[in-house]
Amino acid sequence: MTRFVGEKILMRIFIGEGDRWGSRPLHEALLELLRREGCAGATVLRGVAGFGASSVCHTARLLDLSADLPIVVEVVDDQERLDALMPKIDDMMTGGMITMEKATVIRYTPAGKGAAATP
């Protein structure tokens, strides 16, 4: 397994649940792109409420159920890999926001690996 600890970059891609890439949800297409390009891993998070540049509030409350809840795609990898992916990601988006920040990876192992033995 490749050693993947130390200083990395956390990229967050903020989009809406209704955003599309062709006939597919944009978050699915982004996840596929990140996997295909060899990123260490990515997670898609669905928000319960939020607003963006348009200031329109999207919420999951029953009375005003939105079909366009916030979605955040998070990926942690090397700066160089994420910089190389930026043009492709940017081409897929019509709105939204992308942020990057430094992150320190403390642990990166597949599930069930490296767990402490129980006495």
Side-chain angles (χ1 to χ4, degrees), residues 18-83:
D19 291 342
R20 314 287 291 170
W21 175 247
S23 61
R24 302 178 60 199
L26 178 57
H27 68 274
E28 288 180 8
L30 287 168
L31 197 64
E32 181 180 301
L33 170 70
L34 296 168
R35 185 168 185 247
R36 185 175 64 240
E37 294 292 329
C39 289
T43 301
V44 176
L45 306 166
R46 184 176 187 231
V48 296
F51 69 91
S54 67
S55 294
V56 174
C57 191
H58 303 273
T59 180
R61 290 188 324 203
L62 187 58
L63 295 176
D64 51 4
L65 190 61
S66 173
D68 195 24
L69 291 172
I71 297 284
V72 180
V73 180
E74 292 190 341
V75 58
V76 177
D77 214 305
D78 295 313
Q79 181 80 55
E80 298 77 23
R81 182 183 309 274
L82 297 178
D83 286 346

Side-chain angles (χ1 to χ4, degrees), residues 11-16 19 26 30 51-53 71-73 86 89-90 93-100:
M11 173 191 281
R12 287 190 180 109
I13 305 168
F14 297 83
I15 56 176
D19 291 342
L26 178 57
L30 287 168
F51 69 91
I71 297 284
V72 180
V73 180
M86 275 303 302
I89 293 169
D90 195 45
M93 296 177 62
T94 58
M97 178 174 68
I98 300 172
T99 63
M100 289 189 181

